[in-house]
Amino acid sequence: MSPQEQQSILTIALLAGFADGHKADSEREAIRRMADSLGQEDAGAGLPRLYQDVLLKRVSLATATSSLQDAGQRQLAYEMAVCVCDADGRQSELERAFLAELKTHLKLDPTAAAAFEREADAIVDAAEKAVPVAVPAAVAAAPVVAASVAAGVDLDKSILNYALLNGALELLPQSWASMAIIPLQVKMVYAIGKAHGVELDQGHIREFIAAVGVGLTSQYLEQFGRKLLGGLLGKVAGRAIGGIGGAATGMAFSFATTYALGQVAKRYYAGGRVMSTALLQETFQDLLGPAKQMQAQYLPQIRQKAATLDAGQIMQMVRGGV
């Protein structure tokens, strides 16, 4: 894949990230940081400019898709866009309209596009069933009870398991694999809250994750960007690109993000939910450094787990336990 083709696919992914038209300032900032971070790497040198072009509407969908002539590349661009639109939950009307327009420009094979849409919808459905979309107001407003960690919930072990799994998902070449990372983070925070007597719903959990400073859309964009620029993501002309644990995937960044998020959640709910947004973000950043060091330590286990995962297992983990 040429640098121009990579840039075109990244542009489409960024356009998808802003397709809903109402990204919060915190999410915009997270996407900007992602672009700057990947822009420091040789292959991603143009990404900060692409981010500005998309934000200021200096690039169109027609222009971004015009350089993608290969059917595999066009399918990959569509899959990435679907995943980015699904990052923060069910697609909005604006996102559905964006994807319909994208599909028209890309002239996709209807069978391949429909097959991927079914896979993406299945993960969204499973995620919604795994954690309540909403809880009754009386339950949500109930006072926090004493933590029930002693009742057999080993939260540190659970957080580590979630981190290992999400690190492994990031190493898989299939574009649908990264779709499970945020639902699993949501499940992890839900379990931590429940262990401390707090009944959470998806809206609260997603707000908590955003307050910590972990962008939902930006997470997907970073994962896809690293895979694409490293030559690991997807298939082109029927040929799988890269392999698990290749040089381009030296670290599974989702391990550190998930581990630090879990540890912040544990402190937050154990402490009665009194930490300010500023303190949540400071605590997360303080924990992220050590988590990245752990990531290097656990990389052999992450790679081993990645080698054993398949679609059925991942769906089961989103629905059930980890």
Side-chain angles (χ1 to χ4, degrees):
M1 191 181 299
S2 71
Q4 182 183 1
E5 289 161 342
Q6 288 180 333
Q7 298 277 303
S8 293
I9 294 176
L10 285 169
T11 300
I12 291 166
L14 285 168
L15 286 167
F18 290 109
D20 62 5
H22 52 75
K23 277 282 178 286
D25 289 343
S26 59
E27 185 69 88
R28 287 175 180 266
E29 175 60 19
I31 296 173
R32 185 195 64 76
R33 290 198 304 268
M34 175 279 304
D36 287 346
S37 173
L38 290 184
Q40 293 171 12
E41 303 174 14
D42 289 343
L47 197 50
R49 177 185 54 78
L50 286 183
Y51 168 80
Q52 290 296 329
D53 287 345
V54 169
L55 198 63
L56 299 175
K57 303 186 188 308
R58 293 191 297 231
V59 62
S60 70
L61 200 53
T63 302
T65 56
S66 62
S67 65
L68 299 177
Q69 302 302 317
D70 180 87
Q73 292 172 3
R74 295 197 300 271
Q75 176 70 21
L76 175 58
Y78 182 68
E79 291 181 7
M80 288 179 67
V82 170
C83 293
V84 170
C85 287
D86 283 345
D88 49 6
R90 290 268 173 200
Q91 294 168 13
S92 67
E93 265 188 61
L94 287 172
E95 286 171 328
R96 287 193 294 273
F98 168 84
L99 291 172
E101 183 183 357
L102 175 61
K103 199 156 31 172
T104 299
H105 282 296
L106 291 172
K107 299 180 175 61
L108 296 178
D109 171 55
T111 303
F116 183 79
E117 288 163 1
R118 286 194 296 272
E119 291 176 346
D121 287 344
I123 291 179
V124 173
D125 290 341
E128 287 189 347
K129 290 171 183 172
V131 174
V133 176
V135 298
V139 174
V144 178
V145 300
S148 59
V149 178
V153 182
D154 186 345
L155 290 182
D156 284 329
K157 182 178 179 182
S158 176
I159 290 167
L160 178 59
N161 285 338
Y162 275 105
L164 288 169
L165 176 57
N166 278 351
L169 287 172
E170 190 178 340
L171 294 189
L172 296 180
Q174 297 89 345
S175 54
W176 52 260
S178 290
M179 284 192 66
I181 290 174
I182 288 174
L184 288 170
Q185 288 175 345
V186 169
K187 275 191 65 178
M188 177 184 70
V189 174
Y190 175 75
I192 292 169
K194 199 164 186 178
H196 291 92
V198 185
E199 189 72 23
L200 305 172
D201 60 32
Q202 295 220 16
H204 174 98
I205 295 169
R206 289 174 185 274
E207 286 175 7
F208 169 79
I209 293 174
V212 167
V214 180
L216 299 176
T217 304
S218 62
Q219 269 200 93
Y220 276 104
L221 286 169
E222 181 164 12
Q223 290 152 20
F224 286 138
R226 289 190 187 281
K227 287 182 179 182
L228 181 67
L229 295 173
L232 181 74
L233 181 61
K235 293 182 178 180
V236 174
R239 179 176 57 85
I241 302 175
I244 292 170
T249 66
M251 302 303 285
F253 291 89
S254 291
F255 173 95
T257 300
T258 303
Y259 188 84
L261 174 64
Q263 292 297 330
V264 173
K266 189 177 76 167
R267 297 183 187 188
Y268 178 69
Y269 293 108
R273 296 182 285 176
V274 295
M275 295 170 74
S276 66
T277 299
L279 183 56
L280 283 170
Q281 293 179 0
E282 181 183 345
T283 305
F284 175 75
Q285 290 301 322
D286 287 344
L287 290 165
L288 194 58
K292 287 179 179 177
Q293 293 176 345
M294 289 178 65
Q295 179 174 276
Q297 173 190 344
Y298 281 102
L299 188 57
Q301 289 175 245
I302 293 170
R303 286 176 171 161
Q304 185 178 17
K305 185 177 284 288
T308 66
L309 289 173
D310 60 35
Q313 287 176 301
I314 293 167
M315 288 295 296
Q316 186 57 41
M317 288 170 181
V318 172
R319 291 192 196 99
V322 174

